[in-house]
Amino acid sequence: MRLVILDNYDLASEWAAKYICNRIIQFKPGQDRYFTLGLPTGSTPLGCYKKLIEYHKNGDLSFKYVKTFNMDEYVGLPRNHPESYHSYMWNNFFKHIDIDPNNAHILDGNAADLEAECDAFEKKIKEAGGIDLFVGGIGPDGHIAFNEPGSSLVSRTRLKTLAMDTILANAKYFDGDLSKVPTMALTVGVGTVMDAREVRIKCSLMFPL
């Protein structure tokens, strides 16, 4: 394990973006060799996504031969809702790069059969050859994706009820109204993340002087 400590959010975002960029370039993806990337949502990765978009627009990075798998999605929130993770990813990242929409995979929180949706997601990851690099963040209670504390280390993609700490933390995205915050989500499991060939976790910590 490697620990990198940087002075502020902007430096951490730039470091993360450069790391992802270099990993994709060094992989030399092509028509028969896709780089597979696991992606998070939330406030933490926004700076990283902005930098990746910048690298793409400057001609330094292409996502043409990249497949992505997002960590999670709310259950019951319409796909076009501004706080759905579909909306988040397309507005903040995908529509600004050259990724094929068919290669950007996000769980469907409105699927008729949620268990089948989770099983299909795991199958798609396997068919893609597994995740080369899984990028994630850490929630206020230490959760990764929506794997709340106590989640099994071998868990797979599944339906989860969100802890109250997570609901409270996410209320800021729903005008502070707890009644608007979804209480369930589909999420990759801890085992799904740990199966990746590489995992990079970014967190922002502030300590009192």
Side-chain angles (χ1 to χ4, degrees):
M1 184 175 73
R2 180 186 179 192
L3 176 63
V4 177
I5 300 174
L6 296 163
D7 288 339
N8 57 54
Y9 175 82
D10 290 338
L11 287 175
S13 296
E14 184 175 12
W15 188 95
K18 284 182 177 178
Y19 188 86
I20 295 169
C21 180
N22 289 335
R23 285 286 286 110
I24 294 173
I25 292 172
Q26 291 166 6
F27 187 84
K28 297 180 180 178
Q31 189 171 357
D32 299 316
R33 179 178 163 81
Y34 281 77
F35 186 85
T36 309
L37 188 61
L39 294 176
T41 52
S43 57
T44 302
L46 283 174
C48 176
Y49 289 152
K50 288 179 181 178
K51 277 292 179 182
L52 289 172
I53 292 167
E54 180 182 315
Y55 299 156
H56 167 67
K57 290 186 174 180
N58 289 341
D60 299 322
L61 179 62
S62 173
F63 292 87
K64 184 176 180 179
Y65 297 115
V66 173
K67 293 183 179 181
T68 65
F69 290 87
N70 263 79
M71 282 188 155
D72 40 31
E73 177 60 288
Y74 289 119
V75 168
L77 203 64
R79 181 176 295 200
N80 61 357
H81 189 285
E83 296 305 330
S84 78
Y85 291 155
H86 277 81
S87 293
Y88 173 102
M89 290 306 302
W90 285 102
N91 291 333
N92 293 303
F93 192 39
F94 292 149
K95 74 179 183 182
H96 304 288
I97 59 176
D98 61 342
I99 193 167
D100 181 341
N102 293 319
N103 291 330
H105 302 93
I106 306 176
L107 286 154
D108 182 0
N110 295 287
D113 187 332
L114 295 176
E115 184 176 346
E117 171 67 11
C118 293
D119 291 343
F121 200 72
E122 288 280 339
K123 184 179 180 181
K124 289 176 184 176
I125 293 174
K126 185 176 181 180
E127 290 173 345
I131 305 292
D132 291 303
L133 172 63
F134 224 130
V135 181
I138 298 179
D141 60 0
H143 68 253
I144 296 176
F146 277 129
N147 294 287
E148 303 289 7
S151 293
S152 169
L153 297 180
V154 296
S155 56
R156 314 306 303 186
T157 303
R158 67 208 189 284
L159 175 67
K160 283 287 290 181
T161 299
L162 304 184
M164 182 52 66
D165 283 348
T166 300
I167 294 172
L168 289 170
N170 288 348
K172 63 184 177 183
Y173 302 114
F174 294 86
D175 302 319
D177 187 344
L178 290 179
S179 67
K180 295 180 181 179
V181 184
T183 59
M184 302 187 78
L186 300 184
T187 180
V188 295
V190 180
T192 310
V193 175
M194 295 304 294
D195 276 351
R197 282 174 275 280
E198 185 177 3
V199 179
R200 187 192 62 76
I201 300 296
K202 178 186 175 187
C203 63
S204 300
L205 298 176
M206 296 183 65
F207 298 98
L209 297 176

